[in-house]
Amino acid sequence: MSRNSSIASDSHNNEDVIVTPFAQILASLRNVRKNYIAITGIPANSNRQSPRMPNLSSSKPATSSMDEPLQKLASDTLEELDWCMEQLETMQTHRSVSDMATSKFKRMLRRELTSSSEASKSGNQVSEYLFQTFLDKEREIDIPIQHNRENAVSPTHNTQKNINHQKNIKRGNDMSKIKGIQKLKHHDSVLEEDLPKYGILVTKQEQLDKEMENVEKWSFDIFKVNELTNCRPLTVVTYNLLQERGLLKTFQIPGKTLVTYLMTLEDHYKKNIKYHNQVHAADVVQSINYLLRAPALENVFTDLEILAAIFGGAIHDVDHPGLNNQFLVATSSELAIMYNDESVLENHSLAVAFKLIQCENCNIFETLTTKQFQTLRKISIDMVLATDMSKHMSLLADLKTMVETKKVAGSGVLLLDNYTDRIQVLKNVIHCADLGNPAKVLSTYRKWTDQIMEEFFTQGDLEREKKMDISPMMDRHNASVEKTQVGFIDYIVHPLWETWADLVYPDAQNILDNLEENRDWYQSQIPNSPPSQELATTAESSEKFQFDLLLDEDKGDVGDENVDAFELQITEDDLVLSDTDSVATLVKGESSNSPFTTNDTPLTIESKLTIPRL
């Protein structure tokens, strides 16, 4: 009987057939096991016996004619087969292979983050940030039980109802409108017959030419291009890459229309946002193009898929407010309400980007067939939604499963013969590009870090102003930037890029090298001991004592002029002795009358503390 149709069940009548693929695999493996035991005569593992599995221990042993090594091999093979079947039988059949890999990765990351958070307060803050940002948690729903309905107060009083009703009438008329669309006109400023090399006029053409020579390299300096294009890097980079790939000619996209749309799109990125602005969008576009150039992906994707990927990178953060999804949901923002708390920013960017196509002379896909446009739109939507960082573990699990399956199959060829596999790689392309900053050269990485942290701090300031709990790593007064970057690389970025490197091996080694060097640099910047200010804020129970410090220079009698006031702070981990000029940390653990040492110099805590002047 064909496995493509059905398999007869051993445990039921022959009329009962198994038609679902997963159950067919199990039935087939049971037949393989039964036949293997019958052929080899290897005793069946008693732990594997069940009503579904007939006991074959009474079968005539065939191992007597086997050499001892062959008997061991046969026994080991049966154990391996039993293990595979046990794993398959205990799987939850309603979950996909990807879901199971995602769950496993989440459990592993939780263990790592829990261990890290127990080390220190800053470690706990980093763990909380990574957990909240990169794990797609199921929301807990608290359903209150109302015991006395008669005495219960209505959530909205009549007076409040009337006030809100008037507001809602006005607001309701705007709910169907996509927020953030501006009335801009660039079509009159772009002349088709006189279109410049990069789509727009620039004053420093030679310098820009020199920078754009590196647009196909990972070390491309997007900050320099932003400067040379008068804050038009997205238009210049996207236009140039589409031109170089011949996609304008392939899909007959008018250059004037493309430039008009790109300038309109770029104007909808908020210039006052520190990180999620047009420079970041241009950087992601350039990184996507670089990743798609990998020899392992050569001739894998169609021109339409490449166009959709570059377009997805260009639009993925348009009209970003500089606040994350968690904040928008927590404050019940209009965007969160409109998109039902699901990938709020990503859905909004997609809506804005496709709405802009309807602006005058902005329909860059006008020449596409209906089927082509539907395909491009679906790819773009799937890719942009994949930039929601809470989907990170799912994306990583999908990619890891693909890579390991390729290894197990022993095939060095990447076969992507269906949409699910192809979009899986494309989603990871944009996700890697979006998390590409830590893998760029250190000088570029540090600029990105400064900008994202300032955006974080701005949100933290707003949360403080609104009396909200300040999100992890967004409190400018106690965030540990260096530890954040090390944890970010260790737990999020490196596993992703390492898996990508396996997929396109050996084409991403330079990226992994940058990542390792940058990680080591930030690790070297972590202070050996916490600053005294952090200790003061984290140890509420710390005690402070005032001491006179006797600075002994010549071992002779010391006058009053050599006595300075110092402050000694006792915390759980350290004793911190500080004045306006220096900080000395003493090892805690001895009694107050015992000597302490710093720099091999004995110190004695008494009413006066003697220490050589440095």
Side-chain angles (χ1 to χ4, degrees), residues 40 86 242 253 276 280 359 378 380 383 401 489 494 525 588:
T40 62
E86 183 179 352
L242 293 178
I253 301 174
H276 291 98
H280 169 65
C359 295
K378 179 172 177 55
S380 300
M383 289 185 69
T401 301
I489 292 175
H494 191 273
Q525 301 304 303
K588 185 179 177 182

Coordinates of all heavy atoms in Angstrom, one line a residue, residues 40 86 242 253 276 280 359 378 380 383 401 489 494 525 588:
T40 N 17.0 -10.3 13.0 CA 18.3 -10.4 13.8 C 18.1 -11.3 15.0 O 19.1 -11.8 15.5 CB 18.7 -9.0 14.2 OG1 17.7 -8.5 15.1 CG2 18.9 -8.1 13.1
E86 N 10.3 6.4 20.7 CA 9.8 7.0 22.0 C 9.7 8.5 21.8 O 8.7 9.1 22.3 CB 10.8 6.6 23.1 CG 10.3 7.1 24.4 CD 11.3 6.8 25.6 OE1 12.2 6.0 25.3 OE2 11.1 7.3 26.7
L242 N 18.8 48.7 -6.3 CA 17.8 48.3 -7.3 C 18.3 48.5 -8.7 O 18.0 47.7 -9.6 CB 16.4 49.0 -7.1 CG 15.7 48.6 -5.7 CD1 14.4 49.4 -5.6 CD2 15.4 47.1 -5.6
I253 N 10.0 49.6 -13.7 CA 9.7 50.7 -12.7 C 10.3 52.0 -13.1 O 11.5 52.1 -13.2 CB 10.3 50.3 -11.3 CG1 9.7 48.9 -10.8 CG2 9.9 51.3 -10.2 CD1 10.3 48.4 -9.6
H276 N 15.7 54.3 15.5 CA 14.8 53.8 14.5 C 14.4 54.9 13.5 O 13.2 55.3 13.4 CB 13.5 53.2 15.1 CG 13.8 52.0 15.9 ND1 13.9 51.9 17.3 CD2 13.9 50.7 15.5 CE1 14.2 50.7 17.7 NE2 14.2 49.9 16.6
H280 N 19.0 53.9 10.1 CA 18.8 52.4 10.4 C 18.1 51.7 9.3 O 18.5 50.6 8.9 CB 18.0 52.3 11.7 CG 17.5 50.9 12.0 ND1 18.4 49.9 12.3 CD2 16.3 50.3 12.0 CE1 17.7 48.8 12.5 NE2 16.4 49.0 12.3
C359 N -0.1 57.4 -2.9 CA 0.1 58.8 -3.1 C 0.4 59.1 -4.6 O 0.8 58.2 -5.4 CB 1.2 59.3 -2.2 SG 0.9 59.2 -0.5
K378 N 2.7 39.8 0.0 CA 2.8 38.7 1.0 C 4.2 38.5 1.6 O 4.4 38.4 2.8 CB 2.3 37.4 0.5 CG 2.3 36.2 1.5 CD 1.6 35.0 0.9 CE 1.7 33.8 1.9 NZ 1.2 34.2 3.3
S380 N 6.7 40.7 1.6 CA 7.0 41.9 2.4 C 6.4 41.9 3.8 O 7.0 42.2 4.8 CB 6.6 43.2 1.6 OG 7.2 43.3 0.4
M383 N 8.0 39.3 6.0 CA 9.4 39.7 6.4 C 9.3 40.8 7.5 O 10.1 40.8 8.4 CB 10.2 40.2 5.2 CG 10.6 39.1 4.2 SD 11.6 39.6 2.9 CE 13.2 40.0 3.8
T401 N 16.6 24.5 12.8 CA 16.1 23.2 12.4 C 16.5 23.0 10.9 O 16.8 21.8 10.5 CB 14.5 23.2 12.5 OG1 14.2 23.4 13.9 CG2 13.9 21.9 12.0
I489 N 24.9 40.0 23.0 CA 25.7 39.2 22.0 C 25.7 37.7 22.4 O 25.4 36.8 21.6 CB 27.1 39.7 21.9 CG1 27.1 41.1 21.2 CG2 28.0 38.7 21.1 CD1 28.5 41.8 21.2
H494 N 24.8 36.3 18.9 CA 25.8 35.2 18.5 C 25.1 33.9 18.1 O 25.5 33.3 17.0 CB 26.8 35.0 19.6 CG 28.0 34.1 19.1 ND1 28.0 32.8 19.1 CD2 29.2 34.5 18.6 CE1 29.1 32.3 18.7 NE2 29.8 33.3 18.3
Q525 N 35.4 46.6 28.9 CA 34.9 47.9 29.5 C 34.1 47.8 30.7 O 33.8 48.8 31.3 CB 34.1 48.6 28.4 CG 34.9 48.9 27.1 CD 36.2 49.7 27.3 OE1 36.2 50.8 27.9 NE2 37.3 49.1 26.9
K588 N 35.8 43.1 52.4 CA 35.1 42.9 53.6 C 35.2 41.5 54.2 O 35.4 40.6 53.4 CB 33.6 43.2 53.3 CG 32.7 43.2 54.5 CD 31.3 43.5 54.1 CE 30.3 43.4 55.2 NZ 28.9 43.7 54.8

